[in-house]
Amino acid sequence: MRRWRALLLAATVALAPSPPVVAQQAMINAGAWSAYKAKFLDPTGRIVDNGNGNISHSEGQGYGLLLAYLSANPADFEQIWYFTRTELLLRDDGLAVWKWDPNVKPHVTDTNNATDGDMLIAYALALAGTAWKRNDYILAASRMAQALLAEAVASSDGRILLLPGTEGFTGSDRDDGPVVNPSYWIYEAIPVMAALAPSDAWKKLSDDGVALLNRMQFGPRKLPAEWVSLHDKPRPAEGFDAEFGYNAIRIPLYLARGGITDKALLIRLQKGMSQDGVPATIDLTTGRPKTVLSDPGYRIVNDVVACVVDGTKLPGSALQFAPALYYPSTLQLLGLAYIGEKHPECL
């Protein structure tokens, strides 16, 4: 057992995009993390989505854990992990329930998982466990990665897919299944999942995710949909709005943070998702913007793309962190941490 743990630690260090030194040299400054905590971290350890009825969800807990790690704050990490493991890790398969609602009892009314939340949690645990020599975190991450591989990484028509949840998205569940959400592919985390739960499927999952993005060119703006049917050729899934939505905004950021710097892909996404240079949700049928997203947390996605593609410096507005809503504030910190670590020339 000790030898297995040592090998797992070594493999995680080797494959993690951010090396262990991050734990000593924070990628998110203390002031920004304090502001984020004050706004979104409940004393119980739950991350509050104040743009969505103050619920908490596995995605938010995963983001919170990752940001606490990037902020080099083990105490806050443990606080968030305590809520996550006691309130969300309730399923028999080792994955987390996706939603916790403070306004109802019992607080969990839907026990399905959200695969991106599970991957974020496992990824953050692996990074923190490696950097801070916490074998309990490493073992918890390994259990979640094994569960993801068994329950949510699926083969279909020669592709390896990431099912958004274990229930409701396969060809057995839906006439147009399988259905995927391209914003659920967290490219930076996939090599770490491969270290935790070794399988050739992980590399193919990453490659097939990028290949699908290159095929998902819907409507006049040539953008992926939020929910995509892969029953035949890729198309917007039935029962969902045919839109490039709020979740999809993070796709270019995930690509960049994962080291996927395909300029043609990044530029197509940046151009398609923007209205006068500002990100927006897009009606894929007409190409018209639905909601223009001017918060710096949304705009930083385009700023990151501009930095990666041609070295453009981030505007001053991107560097000013004044959290208002959970989701864009999270994207802003992830964007700033990435630029600070990988492209300091853009600051």
Side-chain angles (χ1 to χ4, degrees):
M1 176 64 78
R2 289 180 182 175
R3 181 174 179 273
W4 178 85
R5 290 181 183 179
L7 288 171
L8 182 56
L9 284 166
T12 306
V13 170
L15 292 171
S18 298
V21 73
V22 171
Q24 289 77 43
Q25 181 182 347
M27 292 293 107
I28 296 170
N29 71 57
W33 176 238
S34 292
Y36 186 94
K37 286 195 303 178
K39 191 76 174 179
F40 310 117
L41 179 55
D42 182 271
T44 63
R46 73 182 186 97
I47 299 293
V48 178
D49 185 347
N50 65 337
N52 192 15
N54 291 328
I55 68 167
S56 294
H57 34 65
S58 57
E59 170 211 276
Q61 297 305 115
Y63 279 145
L65 290 168
L66 181 56
L67 294 175
Y69 165 75
L70 292 171
S71 302
N73 199 309
D76 291 335
F77 188 100
E78 177 59 31
Q79 182 185 12
I80 298 166
W81 173 229
Y82 179 82
F83 180 90
T84 305
R85 71 178 185 268
T86 58
E87 296 291 334
L88 299 186
L89 283 174
L90 308 177
R91 294 167 52 98
D92 292 336
D93 59 7
L95 302 176
V97 299
W98 80 272
K99 178 183 177 183
W100 192 97
D101 191 338
N103 301 308
V104 299
K105 288 188 176 181
H107 297 300
V108 174
T109 57
D110 183 350
T111 60
N112 203 4
N113 72 306
T115 302
D116 63 331
D118 295 314
M119 189 176 291
L120 282 164
I121 292 166
Y123 177 51
L125 284 166
L127 294 181
T130 302
W132 302 334
K133 303 187 187 307
R134 288 287 301 263
N135 284 351
D136 56 329
Y137 290 168
I138 291 283
L139 291 173
S142 180
R143 285 192 289 268
M144 292 195 76
Q146 293 282 1
L148 281 168
L149 184 63
E151 304 293 337
V153 177
S155 177
S156 176
D157 291 333
R159 302 187 188 100
I160 300 295
L161 305 177
L162 191 67
L163 296 174
T166 61
E167 303 166 28
F169 298 99
T170 68
S172 300
D173 297 323
R174 303 172 51 99
D175 291 339
D176 66 340
V179 166
V180 299
N181 187 319
S183 79
Y184 278 34
W185 265 256
I186 305 168
Y187 293 98
E188 66 185 283
I190 292 175
V192 177
M193 299 302 103
L196 296 166
S199 169
D200 293 340
W202 293 111
K203 176 65 165 60
K204 186 164 172 52
L205 174 67
S206 184
D207 292 344
D208 287 350
V210 175
L212 281 169
L213 283 175
N214 280 309
R215 291 195 63 193
M216 295 173 184
Q217 301 189 32
F218 306 133
R221 289 185 181 244
K222 300 186 182 303
L223 289 169
E226 192 108 312
W227 300 95
V228 180
S229 165
L230 299 177
H231 179 68
D232 189 6
K233 65 180 181 179
R235 58 186 172 86
E238 298 170 8
F240 298 95
D241 290 339
E243 67 173 5
F244 182 88
Y246 286 89
N247 286 331
I249 295 291
R250 64 194 176 188
I251 293 173
L253 180 61
Y254 278 0
L255 289 168
R257 284 186 58 91
I260 299 166
T261 54
D262 180 332
K263 290 187 177 182
L265 175 58
L266 289 172
I267 290 170
R268 173 168 61 84
L269 293 171
Q270 180 194 47
K271 181 179 179 181
M273 67 188 251
S274 301
Q275 179 70 16
D276 298 325
V278 180
T281 60
I282 304 294
D283 183 317
L284 295 178
T285 303
T286 65
R288 294 173 182 164
K290 298 178 73 172
T291 304
V292 177
L293 304 172
S294 58
D295 188 291
Y298 294 119
R299 297 178 72 133
I300 202 170
V301 177
N302 277 348
D303 298 333
V304 166
V305 171
C307 169
V308 169
V309 168
D310 57 23
T312 301
K313 289 186 177 295
L314 267 63
S317 59
L319 306 177
Q320 303 299 316
F321 183 66
L325 291 173
Y326 145 79
Y327 181 50
S329 297
T330 300
L331 297 184
Q332 187 174 3
L333 288 188
L334 288 174
L336 288 173
Y338 167 75
I339 294 298
E341 182 181 6
K342 300 296 185 182
H343 291 280
E345 71 277 8
C346 291
L347 294 175

